[in-house]
Amino acid sequence: MYSEILPFSTPIDVIRAKQPVGVILSGGPKSVSDHDAPKCDPQVLQLGVPTLGICYGMQLMTDMLGGRVAPSPHREFGFAAVNVREGSTARLFGQLSGELRVWASHGDFVATAPPGFDVVATSTNAPVAAMEAADRGYYALLFHPEVAHTERGKEILRNFAFDVCGCTGDWTIQSFIDESIGRIRQQVGSGRVVCGLSGGVDSTVAATLIHRAIGDQLQCIFVDNGLLRLNEAAQVVARYKKLKLPVHFVDAADVFLDQLAHVTDPEQKRKIIGAAFIDVFEAEALKLGSFDFLAQGTLYPDVIESVSVRGPSATIKSHHNVGGLPDRMRFTLVEPLRELFKDEVRAVGRDLGIDKEFLVRQPFPGPGLAVRIIGALTRERLALLQRADAVVAEEMRRTGWYERIWQSFAVLLPVQSVGVMGDARTYEFTIAIRAVESLDGMTADWARLPHDLLATISSRIVNEVKGINRVVYDISSKPPSTIEWE
């Protein structure tokens, strides 16, 4: 189904003009009682189309329609058990009944449903886990059906979209590609586009899509910042040659590593890397001629988790490819993937004919391994992490787990501990292994990797990477943790 994500402050006339067949009020980090809580125009609830409130959206719907929202005695972050009431005829749940294992992330709850609403599901900590007033087109869930960890979540959303809203499901990835190519051609005209390639899925798909649209008007630049995985720069360059993308390679490792020497603050690392990338990129672009547009593989989670242009989402971390371009770089941005999530980008890549080798690559942070070295970044510590991370990747691929989960990697901790090797005392660093399952990176749960696999990874790292004598496994979910450590 085609959908658009709009900020809460969108004027009601703009929403009406789009003639939506349904509206979803999303979750969010605020409480409806906060003085700066994001509240849409009340007329959104009077559009005469089905409306689904999710988490904060449910609380907002409750508040606006005469119910009562209160702080929950027991906050829920992570898995929760929801019981669909026996004999319920709730349209949202369809044939679902009994207990569902869902993903919750809230500190407030609905203490009293608005007048005219039926409570159709409860949980241990929430007397109103789901409610609806079907005759008025109102539906609401306190949990998140959109995350991969909610059982039957996709089915619940499908019930809303198809059965309640009457969608037909005729929007396809191919239609997105065709529309994007048209938009890119219209935006660029006869201008030239420069694109920064990282070697990851996002920038690769964006560049391929733009190249499909404008051909030789695109010039790509791949900057090796020295913070890539072991031997990654050479591997990426070889892959781009197979794709026949016009790529200019730049070895700028010394520029980045010199500026990052001994920097410990994660946000400072990101800002240094972002600024250095812009300097290097700008200098190389000048060598290649004049350009009118800058292409980026920005995805919607990048926007949400940075300083959001869509609304007051909580800033979790800054992203070097979202905003922040200096005024001197007078490029107009071309961001064809800005409204997509990672799974959708991979689907676009498949339809564009990009090799599976690129598309199955796990997400890699823009600042690279700098944000996986906790504390001071030195060349020696970087070399330790690169070797340890290579072991993780090799074993995950060997056992087939690499493609089964969202992300797996090593983190170097600023922790040294006593060990014993060959009857001699050691005092060396610790590696943390992070492996998570997710659909879009917005929420994640730690992967239940086999103990034998973890044992092999640990043994190989300790034996093959001199300077590491201890390996631990991170079993935190997002939220409350993030996937990356910095």
Side-chain angles (χ1 to χ4, degrees):
M1 285 71 70
Y2 175 75
S3 61
E4 293 186 17
I5 302 174
L6 304 174
F8 73 95
S9 55
T10 303
I12 190 65
D13 290 342
V14 173
I15 298 175
R16 282 201 186 101
K18 293 180 179 294
Q19 297 182 312
V21 297
V23 172
I24 295 177
L25 305 178
S26 79
K30 292 288 187 179
S31 168
V32 293
S33 61
D34 291 346
H35 74 279
D36 58 347
K39 296 185 178 181
C40 60
D41 189 315
Q43 293 182 75
V44 169
L45 296 180
Q46 309 302 326
L47 288 171
V49 299
T51 303
L52 170 63
I54 295 176
C55 196
Y56 175 84
M58 176 188 192
Q59 297 162 25
L60 179 61
M61 181 183 289
T62 300
D63 185 65
M64 295 173 75
L65 295 177
R68 187 169 69 89
V69 177
S72 175
H74 302 284
R75 300 187 306 165
E76 288 186 318
F77 293 99
F79 282 114
V82 163
N83 289 284
V84 180
R85 288 193 166 173
E86 189 173 347
S88 170
T89 58
R91 295 185 66 188
L92 205 55
F93 289 102
Q95 302 301 311
L96 302 180
S97 62
E99 185 176 282
L100 294 177
R101 188 168 158 86
V102 304
W103 191 268
S105 181
H106 59 88
D108 290 347
F109 75 139
V110 174
T112 306
F117 274 75
D118 294 323
V119 177
V120 295
T122 62
S123 73
T124 302
N125 296 318
V128 187
M131 64 183 190
E132 61 180 56
D135 57 330
R136 297 156 65 194
Y138 298 139
Y139 304 83
L141 303 168
L142 193 58
F143 59 90
H144 290 268
E146 76 277 13
V147 304
H149 313 301
T150 291
E151 289 179 349
R152 316 294 287 274
K154 187 176 290 187
E155 194 171 332
I156 294 171
L157 291 175
R158 183 178 295 274
N159 288 340
F160 178 71
F162 281 92
D163 299 338
V164 176
C165 296
C167 293
T168 57
D170 58 356
W171 186 83
T172 65
I173 289 296
Q174 187 57 53
S175 66
F176 168 82
I177 292 173
D178 294 340
E179 291 167 7
S180 294
I181 288 175
R183 284 197 299 268
I184 292 167
R185 287 173 177 166
Q186 183 177 18
Q187 180 185 7
V188 172
S190 60
R192 295 186 70 208
V193 180
V194 62
C195 177
L197 289 177
S198 68
V201 175
D202 307 337
S203 63
T204 300
V205 172
T208 304
L209 185 58
I210 295 168
H211 193 245
R212 179 78 59 89
I214 62 173
D216 292 341
Q217 292 170 249
L218 172 70
Q219 172 64 59
C220 301
I221 298 175
F222 174 56
V223 177
D224 178 7
N225 59 12
L227 301 166
L228 304 177
R229 289 162 287 205
L230 191 66
N231 302 322
E232 186 171 18
Q235 295 167 2
V236 167
V237 170
R239 287 171 183 161
Y240 282 135
K241 285 183 179 178
K242 289 176 62 179
L243 282 175
K244 297 182 179 179
L245 287 175
V247 180
H248 174 67
F249 173 73
V250 186
D251 182 354
D254 288 341
V255 173
F256 287 83
L257 296 181
D258 287 348
Q259 292 187 35
L260 287 167
H262 305 294
V263 174
T264 59
D265 180 76
E267 276 298 289
Q268 189 179 358
K269 289 178 185 177
R270 289 176 180 272
K271 290 175 180 177
I272 288 172
I273 292 166
F277 175 82
I278 289 171
D279 289 343
V280 171
F281 189 84
E282 182 182 30
E284 296 299 322
L286 286 172
K287 295 177 185 177
L288 297 171
S290 62
F291 295 93
D292 310 287
F293 299 89
L294 172 66
Q296 294 187 151
T298 308
L299 304 191
Y300 195 66
D302 297 335
V303 178
I304 294 172
E305 290 195 342
S306 188
V307 182
S308 178
V309 299
R310 294 289 192 182
S313 300
T315 299
I316 297 171
K317 57 189 176 183
S318 61
H319 286 260
H320 71 282
N321 63 338
V322 179
L325 286 175
D327 292 337
R328 69 174 186 273
M329 293 185 72
R330 296 180 180 177
F331 292 132
T332 301
L333 290 178
V334 179
E335 297 175 306
L337 310 179
R338 189 179 179 87
E339 306 295 337
L340 299 185
F341 288 89
K342 182 74 74 172
D343 58 324
E344 296 169 316
V345 173
R346 288 195 168 107
V348 170
R350 284 193 296 270
D351 277 26
L352 288 172
I354 297 176
D355 289 345
K356 181 181 178 183
E357 182 181 30
F358 262 114
L359 299 180
V360 300
R361 284 167 60 86
Q362 294 179 353
F364 189 63
L369 297 180
V371 292
R372 293 179 181 172
I373 297 175
I374 312 303
L377 196 157
T378 66
R379 293 172 189 261
E380 294 74 22
R381 299 188 74 205
L382 175 61
L384 285 179
L385 180 57
Q386 284 177 323
R387 294 199 298 274
D389 190 70
V391 171
V392 174
E394 288 168 11
E395 290 301 322
M396 294 294 287
R397 289 181 186 277
R398 182 184 65 80
T399 57
W401 276 90
Y402 185 88
E403 295 183 30
R404 292 173 58 182
I405 65 173
W406 175 261
Q407 215 167 351
S408 54
F409 54 88
V411 179
L412 182 64
L413 306 185
V415 175
Q416 289 178 274
S417 63
V418 175
V420 57
M421 291 183 181
D423 296 329
R425 178 186 184 275
T426 62
Y427 191 63
E428 296 177 338
F429 286 104
T430 301
I431 285 287
I433 305 299
R434 182 70 158 145
V436 298
E437 296 176 326
S438 180
L439 180 64
D440 54 23
M442 298 302 295
T443 61
D445 192 24
W446 62 280
R448 274 62 170 176
L449 298 182
H451 289 180
D452 288 348
L453 172 56
L454 291 173
T456 300
I457 291 173
S458 176
S459 177
R460 282 195 58 192
I461 289 175
V462 170
N463 281 284
E464 298 175 23
V465 185
K466 186 177 181 182
I468 305 296
N469 69 354
R470 191 176 299 273
V471 177
V472 298
Y473 190 52
D474 182 350
I475 58 170
S476 308
S477 62
K478 175 187 179 181
S481 302
T482 56
I483 296 176
E484 299 289 346
W485 278 47
E486 289 192 341

